[in-house]
Amino acid sequence: MSELLALNKAIRALDNLWPLLQGDEQEAILQQRNRLNQQADELAHKSLTAVDAELQAAIDQLIQATENANEIRAVIDWRVERIEKVAATVNSVVGVIEKLGQILARI
Amino acid sequence: MQSLSVRRIVIMAIGSMLLSGCASSPTGNIEAFGSAATEVSTSIDSVISDYNQAVINNRLVAMAQSKRPYVAADFDDIKQIIIRDANKQELSLYQANKALGDYAKALVALARAGSREEIAISTSSLSKALLMMDSQHQLLLQKDSALTKDGAARIARVIAQLSSGYIESKKAKALKAIIIAADPAVQKIGLVINNQLLKGVIESRLYTMRGSELAGYFADYNAKSSSRSFVQKKQKLDEIYLKYVQMEATSASVKQAQSALLAVMKSHHLLKSELEKDNYSGTGVIEALKKIKANHTAFDSLETLIKNCGTEIIASDEQGIICKP
């Protein structure tokens, strides 16, 4: 990380220098700045893609917790569905009883 | 009729006993936490996108500052960056943030599962059914009504409350177990995300890259300075100053994401501690949730950064104008 910080610092110093120069001198400093910028970019990318074992274990653990939460949610959804089905069944049975009642009342 | 009344009293008594046990429903606070954490994860994701965009812009800046002529093939270099950065899955920051975001979303979904409203809707039809049955009972046996409209509604309400009480208690247990088990992972991941941002990979690169662009404006200004009038020069400097302020505020969006992330970690830990004591709605949890919200909305510009800074505004070589940590 200190290497990246040093590169950034050098780039900023060159950026405060080259606008004051002209011609070949300016071009030479700009090229140097571009080279450092590229190095810094690669280093930053390397740091951002590095995954250590401890982090990977934590990510896996959190993915597992997420899966558990999703599974329990599915079970709860299924239970709610059953409550809804019971309510719907009671309703339809009542409908049948109502019709039966109407027939019996006419006899 | 008497037996129905007795049954009604018994059901209501059981219902109120169960409900008193889950008076402080866990779903509200956990759902609020999950929603806030999801927002934070989204804002970290946009920091990653901004950074990828800035890397491409930095190459364009370098090209524009050169005196070389260009052809389409010169964009090949940029194409490689696009290909490299398009594969966000490779970034540990992305993987860690995605795991955190998915976890937060799953908590919200679980906290919302089998809501009281859903159960209430399905059981409200029960009161109508009970009344209908009662009217048939009256019609066939020529007896008085055993059930009033109000009584039928009350029975249905008790059934709904019993059902939702059962679901709530299942959810409470599950959420407690999940949050307690996940806390070490949340803390570790949060720390890595925060450190990677804090360590200055993204923040200091963004600041440096914006500085390189600013240098181009100064080079242009300097090249034409002697031929410009005061008014022209002042106009140009005003334009450059706006770019300069933008550069100095670079750290604001990153800092905002960092502060919000730290608040998420803290409130998750607090939530875990409270859940261990079976306390789902302690004032500490509510305060921590408010803090996530506050951190999430602050620091979206230099002006708000200055306005909201609780310590001291300082100039940092690596990060521009910042609020002293």
Side-chain angles (χ1 to χ4, degrees), chain B residues 14-49:
Chain B
I14 296 169
S16 31
M17 267 161 59
L18 274 177
L19 284 171
S20 64
C22 55
S24 54
S25 159
T27 54
N29 279 338
I30 294 171
E31 188 185 333
F33 167 79
S35 300
T38 305
E39 276 183 45
V40 171
S41 169
T42 307
S43 75
I44 292 170
D45 214 24
S46 64
V47 167
I48 299 172
S49 300

Side-chain angles (χ1 to χ4, degrees), chain B residues 52-273:
Chain B
N52 288 344
Q53 206 51 50
V55 173
I56 293 169
N57 184 61
N58 195 38
R59 293 296 166 102
L60 293 173
V61 163
M63 287 171 78
Q65 287 169 351
S66 163
K67 290 187 174 68
R68 267 189 59 200
Y70 288 108
V71 290
D74 288 306
F75 276 149
D76 282 354
D77 194 26
I78 293 175
K79 197 164 74 187
Q80 292 311 313
I81 298 173
I82 294 170
I83 294 166
R84 184 192 74 181
D85 293 341
N87 196 7
K88 285 202 292 186
Q89 281 84 347
E90 269 188 18
L91 295 180
S92 56
L93 185 61
Y94 174 80
Q95 287 175 35
N97 189 43
K98 188 179 183 306
L100 201 62
D102 287 349
Y103 169 69
K105 279 183 206 150
L107 283 188
V108 174
L110 178 55
R112 282 182 187 162
S115 67
R116 283 170 190 276
E117 290 78 18
E118 256 179 274
I119 293 166
I121 289 165
S122 72
T123 50
S124 71
S125 55
L126 276 176
S127 71
K128 286 180 205 148
L130 283 169
L131 276 175
M132 211 184 278
M133 284 238 281
D134 189 48
S135 69
Q136 293 310 309
H137 170 256
Q138 284 176 63
L139 194 70
L140 286 171
L141 304 176
Q142 302 294 311
K143 284 188 174 176
D144 288 344
S145 170
L147 199 59
T148 62
K149 205 175 172 182
D150 190 38
R154 221 179 302 158
I155 290 175
R157 205 163 50 235
V158 168
I159 294 170
Q161 285 170 344
L162 281 171
S163 308
S164 61
Y166 169 75
I167 299 289
E168 282 292 323
S169 107
K170 284 271 162 205
K171 273 198 296 186
K173 271 187 199 159
L175 285 166
K176 179 182 169 181
I178 288 166
I179 290 171
I180 291 171
D183 193 58
V186 169
Q187 299 306 318
K188 168 74 190 169
I189 286 173
L191 214 61
V192 171
I193 294 177
N194 196 45
N195 281 352
Q196 280 203 351
L197 294 168
L198 274 173
K199 270 192 287 182
V201 176
I202 287 188
E203 198 178 15
S204 76
R205 279 303 292 146
L206 277 177
Y207 185 62
T208 304
M209 289 190 286
R210 296 222 169 119
S212 289
E213 185 172 346
L214 195 71
Y217 298 118
F218 274 116
D220 268 5
Y221 176 89
N222 293 345
K224 292 171 190 161
S225 175
S226 53
S227 61
R228 276 186 178 138
S229 68
F230 163 76
V231 175
Q232 287 170 323
K233 283 197 277 190
K234 178 66 172 54
Q235 271 175 352
K236 281 287 150 197
L237 282 175
D238 283 342
E239 283 172 29
I240 296 172
Y241 180 71
L242 285 178
K243 305 266 180 199
Y244 171 76
V245 170
Q246 278 172 14
M247 181 186 83
E248 290 296 316
T250 296
S251 68
S253 63
V254 183
K255 273 277 177 285
Q256 174 256 328
Q258 284 174 358
S259 311
L261 179 70
L262 286 171
V264 164
M265 288 161 66
K266 194 177 165 192
S267 65
H268 191 278
H269 193 67
L270 211 68
L271 205 54
K272 175 221 159 205
S273 310

Side-chain angles (χ1 to χ4, degrees), chain A residues 51-59, chain B residues 188:
Chain A
V51 182
D52 64 22
E54 213 182 325
L55 174 65
Q56 192 57 57
I59 291 174
Chain B
K188 168 74 190 169

